[in-house]
């Protein structure tokens, strides 16, 4: 491994005058890239022998929820560096053609236990942003965190845990910013810096805002898997309800309950379009026991009438996890969301529907909490109660505090001028929508104590905004509420906000499917809620106290959590 004397390479870089007519091919060579590697980053030693470069022309991205269809050229740059933990980390940077580069850098987050999603590179590149990803130091881009989280002796690999929780993303940005500036010979020109992710990527986006706020101009956060200790275990809740009540619903039965909820709550938002834009009004006005006795008929072993047991299971799931003393351990999904976690399997021996343990929760509990190397699920739910769930949530919260990612003190980000855009599907069946609302309210009450709701929201809106997306599922539209819009142009909105000072008042969204495919739709900024007037013609954004209060929770099953005044 060689390190390069800065002065020599600065000279080379500036000698190459880069402008919009410089070809991608002329920059996309290992020699040129080696000459532009940053050599003075604290704690980072880049291995210049590891550089690879590959020019790609007319790359096509289609069907992505987080950015519009696009065609673009880029240079894919790969190299490795060693960090202060002595980890060798592989990074990838997708560099737009010089004529399309717009002085922007973006780190693109991963999802699940992966730190990078290569097929979302266009989310940055199509907006003229050099876009980066990292392997987290896990050994390769195809190695996920869960595969390396435990040491051979069953203890947690603390270095890799910290890399996953927040550090690898920030290093990717640190290296990416410096490299981008050199690659395009930007000199002192401002490089706008962004981070974007959904789900685990949304959690990591929050980790960047909380720990490295001053590093970013804009962070786009979708359906974040924050409060990881609770979030991973909530996936097991539906199964524990089924097991406890000893009733495993027919898939068709639970689907009828959802469909009935959608059709009965559709109009509460003022527009009959198959979209429940107001799950809060649904919660206040609709009782799912109304579907008792409704016939269902999907296929031969999946037909009958909705039972009281099926309704009891669905209602208990919607109620959230309560301990035996009545305290609330965590919330659930909104009414009219799909019951993905409640999926049952058919047993051909007994001809009955039975337990199918959520793999997301089972792996987390078996591998991360119980430290079973290689475990991918729990074998059964013997003796698992709601109190056991709360204990698992507590254990995760205290053992992996960096993954909670719910530190509401964002002063560093705010004070350096950074902007944060949060969006969350109103019928997310994977990360409860209310978890993003609860965190928004934590930030508001910590950072603006003593101000009224209106006053504190007015203080926050210039730098932090939350939008719930009507009818949207987890990081994507929902097939069951296909007429809902989705905010596909968040990067465009963020660029306008950061670079042009255009503060959003509503969020730009598009119908990606359904009857009005292609049409534009604005979303209401929290705490305002959508309400259609003129028979569904006109969108108004309204506040009503009773609806608001359905979103406010007290997680009183826990001792006060150090970082979160609302726990
Ligand atoms: C590294 O060098 C560049 C000039 O090439 C300078 O702008 C930057 O501030 C330096 N970074 C550090 C961390 O010293
Ligand atoms: C829903 O209706 C059932 C049956 O009438 C009733 O027992 C239950 O308390 C109601 N639930 C709520 C939340 O009002
Ligand atoms: C469902 O209810 C109807 C009456 O509404 C009844 O005729 C039918 O037998 C029931 N089906 C099953 C599978 O119980
Ligand atoms: C469940 O609890 C019973 C009684 O405490 C105990 O005998 C049994 O071993 C437990 N089963 C498991 C799988 O832990
Ligand atoms: C639920 O509604 C969807 C349309 O969104 C339909 O395709 C499906 O067949 C319905 N399921 C049941 C069980 O009624
Ligand atoms: C808003 O969305 C529409 C499509 O619905 C799109 O044409 C427009 O460019 C978007 N605005 C921004 C700022 O990205
Ligand atoms: Ca509606």
């Amino acid at each position: 491994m060689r390190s390069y004397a800065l002065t020599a390479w600065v000279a080379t870089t500036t000698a190459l005058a880069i402008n919009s007519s410089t070809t991608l091919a002329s920059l996309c060579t290992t020699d040129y890239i080696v000459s532009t590697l940053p050599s003075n980053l604290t704690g980072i030693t880049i291995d210049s022998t590891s550089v690879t470069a590959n020019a790609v022309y007319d790359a096509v991205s289609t069907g992505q929820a987080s950015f519009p269809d696009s065609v673009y050229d880029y240079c894919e740059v790969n190299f490795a560096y060693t960090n202060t933990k002595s980890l060798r980390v592989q990074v990838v940077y997708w560099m737009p053609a010089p004529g399309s580069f717009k002085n922007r850098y973006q780190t693109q987050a991963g999802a699940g236990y992966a730190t990078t999603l290569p097929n979302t590179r266009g989310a940055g590149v199509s907006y003229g942003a050099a876009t980066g990803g990292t392997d987290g130091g896990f050994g390769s881009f195809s190695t996920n965190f869960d595969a390396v989280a435990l040491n051979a002796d069953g203890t947690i690999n603390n270095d890799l845990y910290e890399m996953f929780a927040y550090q690898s993303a920030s290093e990717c940005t640190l290296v990416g910013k410096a490299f981008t500036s050199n690659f395009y010979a930007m000199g002192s020109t401002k490089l706008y810096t962004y981070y974007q992710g959904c789900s685990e990527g949304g959690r990591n986006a929050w980790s960047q805002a909380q720990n490295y706020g001053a590093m970013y101009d804009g962070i786009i956060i979708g359906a974040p898997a924050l409060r990881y200790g609770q979030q991973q275990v909530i996936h097991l809740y539906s199964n524990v309800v089924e097991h406890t009540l000893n009733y495993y619903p027919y898939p068709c039965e639970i689907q009828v309950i959802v469909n009935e909820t959608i059709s009965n709550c559709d109009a509460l938002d003022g527009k009959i379009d198959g979209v429940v834009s107001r799950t809060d009004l649904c919660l206040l006005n609709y009782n799912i026991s109304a579907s008792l006795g409704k016939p269902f008929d999907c296929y031969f072993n999946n037909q009958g009438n909705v039972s009281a047991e099926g309704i009891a299971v669905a209602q208990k799931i919607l109620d959230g996890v309560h301990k035996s003393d009545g305290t609330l351990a965590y919330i659930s999904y909104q009414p009219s969301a799909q019951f993905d976690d409640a999926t049952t399997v058919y047993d051909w021996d007994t001809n009955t529907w039975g337990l199918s343990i959520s793999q997301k929760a089972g792996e987390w509990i078996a591998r991360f909490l119980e430290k079973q190397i290689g475990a991918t699920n729990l074998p059964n739910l013997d003796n698992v109660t709601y109190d056991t769930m709360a204990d698992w949530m507590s254990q995760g919260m205290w053992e992996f505090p960096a993954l909670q990612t719910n530190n509401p003190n964002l002063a560093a980000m705010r004070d350096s001028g950074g902007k944060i855009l949060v969006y969350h599907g109103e019928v997310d069946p994977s990360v409860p929508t209310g978890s993003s609302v609860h965190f928004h309210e934590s930030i508001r009450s910590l950072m603006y104590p003593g101000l009224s709701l209106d006053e504190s929201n007015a203080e926050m809106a210039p730098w932090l905004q939350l939008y719930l997306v009507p009818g949207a599922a987890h990081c994507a539209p929902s097939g069951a509420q296909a007429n809902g819009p989705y905010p596909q142009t968040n990067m465009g909105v963020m660029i306008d906000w950061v670079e042009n000072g255009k503060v959003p008042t509503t969020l730009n969204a598009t119908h990606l499917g359904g009857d009005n495919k292609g049409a534009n739709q604005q979303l209401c900024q929290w705490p305002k809620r959508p309400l259609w007037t003129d028979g569904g013609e006109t969108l108004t954004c309204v506040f009503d106290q009773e609806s608001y209060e359905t979103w406010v929770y007290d997680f009183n099953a826990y001792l006060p959590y150090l970082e979160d005044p609302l726990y």
Side-chain angles (χ1 to χ4, degrees):
M1 205 180 296
R2 279 189 295 163
S3 65
Y4 287 83
L6 175 65
T7 44
W9 294 106
V10 166
T12 316
T13 308
T14 45
L16 203 151
I18 291 175
N19 55 45
S20 57
S21 60
T22 307
T23 64
L24 183 65
S26 70
L27 301 186
C28 199
T29 69
T30 47
D31 281 353
Y32 178 70
I33 288 159
V34 167
S35 80
T36 59
L37 292 176
S39 57
N40 63 342
L41 298 173
T42 310
I44 305 279
T45 310
I46 297 175
D47 174 4
S48 60
T49 67
S50 67
V51 171
T52 64
N54 180 31
V56 180
Y57 298 92
D58 296 323
V60 177
S61 289
T62 53
Q64 297 283 338
S66 61
F67 60 100
D69 291 356
S70 48
V71 181
Y72 47 87
D73 301 339
Y74 63 94
C75 175
E76 176 169 316
V77 177
N78 276 275
F79 56 82
Y81 67 84
T82 307
N83 69 5
T84 50
K85 295 183 188 299
S86 300
L87 289 169
R88 186 176 168 88
V89 183
Q90 185 76 34
V91 280
V92 58
Y93 295 103
W94 298 289
M95 313 302 283
S100 307
F101 175 65
K102 300 208 173 91
N103 301 337
R104 295 171 189 143
Y105 171 80
Q106 178 188 287
T107 294
Q108 183 64 31
Y113 289 114
T115 49
T116 289
L117 292 179
N119 65 348
T120 56
R121 70 175 84 76
V125 178
S126 68
Y127 283 94
T131 302
T134 172
D135 79 348
F138 305 156
S140 79
F141 281 107
S142 53
T143 308
N144 290 347
F145 175 55
D146 55 343
V148 295
L150 293 184
N151 296 312
D153 65 359
T155 57
I156 297 293
N157 185 321
N158 210 52
D159 282 346
L160 296 182
Y161 152 61
E162 289 172 1
M163 289 294 280
F164 180 71
Y166 54 86
Q167 189 174 328
S168 65
S170 75
E171 288 177 356
C172 185
T173 304
L174 180 75
V175 174
K177 282 176 81 160
F179 171 59
T180 300
S181 183
N182 293 351
F183 183 89
Y184 295 104
M186 291 179 71
S188 59
T189 304
K190 162 88 177 166
L191 176 64
Y192 291 100
T193 303
Y194 301 96
Y195 190 98
Q196 182 167 189
C198 203
S199 192
E200 156 54 25
R203 184 208 61 76
N204 214 342
W206 267 131
S207 86
Q208 300 304 288
Q210 291 164 20
N211 299 304
Y212 308 96
M215 198 185 239
Y216 295 93
D217 296 296
I219 298 185
I220 301 169
I221 303 175
L226 51 73
R227 285 183 222 92
Y228 211 76
Q230 282 75 15
Q231 175 57 44
Q232 295 301 81
V233 175
I234 194 72
H235 284 298
L236 194 69
Y237 179 50
S238 303
N239 299 147
V240 176
V241 170
E242 292 165 341
H243 191 246
T244 305
L245 300 183
N246 192 27
Y247 185 76
Y248 301 90
Y250 295 76
C252 200
E253 179 180 24
I254 206 114
Q255 196 59 52
V256 165
I257 295 173
V258 173
N259 285 10
E260 284 291 311
T261 306
I262 294 173
S263 52
N264 282 284
C265 292
D266 182 0
L268 296 173
D269 57 27
K271 183 178 189 174
I272 296 174
D273 56 355
V275 179
V276 181
S277 300
R278 293 294 298 276
T279 59
D280 42 23
L281 292 178
C282 188
L283 197 62
L284 291 169
N285 292 291
Y286 180 66
N287 184 331
I288 62 168
S289 68
S291 44
L292 181 66
K294 293 266 180 222
F296 60 87
D297 185 3
C298 291
Y299 42 92
F300 79 96
N301 54 6
N302 199 3
Q303 51 197 196
N305 297 326
V306 172
S307 63
E309 292 87 347
I311 286 168
V313 164
Q315 187 62 56
K316 188 81 182 156
I317 293 171
L318 291 174
D319 289 346
V321 186
H322 293 264
K323 286 176 55 172
S324 50
D325 63 7
T327 55
L328 179 65
Y330 213 52
I331 51 171
S332 193
Y333 313 110
Q334 293 296 113
S336 85
Q338 301 293 314
F339 285 87
D340 287 6
D341 289 342
T343 303
T344 49
V345 286
Y346 196 67
D347 181 333
W348 291 96
D349 293 331
T350 59
N351 290 327
T352 54
W353 292 91
L355 183 66
S356 168
I357 299 177
S358 161
Q359 196 266 333
K360 288 192 192 90
E363 180 184 3
W364 168 254
I365 294 162
R367 195 181 293 214
F368 289 80
L369 301 185
E370 295 179 347
K371 315 293 185 295
Q372 299 172 32
I373 295 171
T376 55
N377 208 335
L378 292 169
N380 57 58
L381 293 183
D382 293 354
N383 295 348
V384 175
T385 65
Y386 305 131
D387 288 346
T388 318
M389 293 196 63
D391 289 345
W392 278 330
M393 289 178 178
S394 269
Q395 185 188 342
M397 166 168 92
W398 290 105
E399 212 174 318
F400 301 90
L403 287 174
Q404 288 300 98
T405 326
N406 63 337
N407 181 348
N409 183 352
L410 300 166
M413 179 111 196
R414 177 194 61 190
D415 297 346
S416 67
K419 315 297 180 207
I420 301 175
L421 175 61
V422 188
Y423 64 100
H424 203 135
E426 179 125 355
V427 289
D428 190 324
S430 182
V431 176
T433 312
S435 73
S436 277
V437 175
H438 183 75
F439 187 48
H440 183 275
E441 300 309 280
S442 298
I443 299 164
R444 198 174 55 73
S445 55
L446 178 99
M447 295 186 73
Y448 301 101
L451 295 190
S452 71
L453 193 70
D454 280 353
E455 288 164 346
S456 50
N457 280 312
E459 292 288 324
M460 272 169 90
W463 64 277
L464 189 162
Q465 302 186 359
L466 166 65
Y467 293 90
L468 305 186
V469 187
H474 187 56
C475 299
S478 157
Q481 300 192 32
N483 286 334
Y486 200 80
Q488 193 187 38
T489 58
N490 287 337
M491 186 62 178
V493 170
M494 181 54 91
I495 286 167
D496 267 355
W497 192 0
V498 165
E499 300 179 21
N500 306 322
K502 213 175 136 194
V503 184
T505 50
T506 56
L507 183 60
N508 200 48
T510 309
H511 291 276
L512 300 183
D515 299 340
N516 298 307
K517 190 171 175 182
N520 184 264
Q521 178 62 61
Q522 300 299 309
L523 309 184
C524 295
Q525 190 183 126
W526 176 264
K528 292 227 172 71
R529 305 289 297 140
L531 191 65
W532 298 83
T533 56
D534 305 337
E537 290 298 308
T538 309
L539 173 69
T540 54
C541 296
V542 300
F543 178 83
D544 95 74
Q545 186 67 27
E546 203 186 2
S547 294
Y548 173 78
E549 279 166 13
T550 69
W551 296 96
V552 175
Y553 307 98
D554 180 7
F555 295 130
N556 53 359
Y558 307 99
L559 293 171
Y561 186 67
L562 289 179
E563 293 180 329
D564 186 341
L566 289 195
Y567 250 144

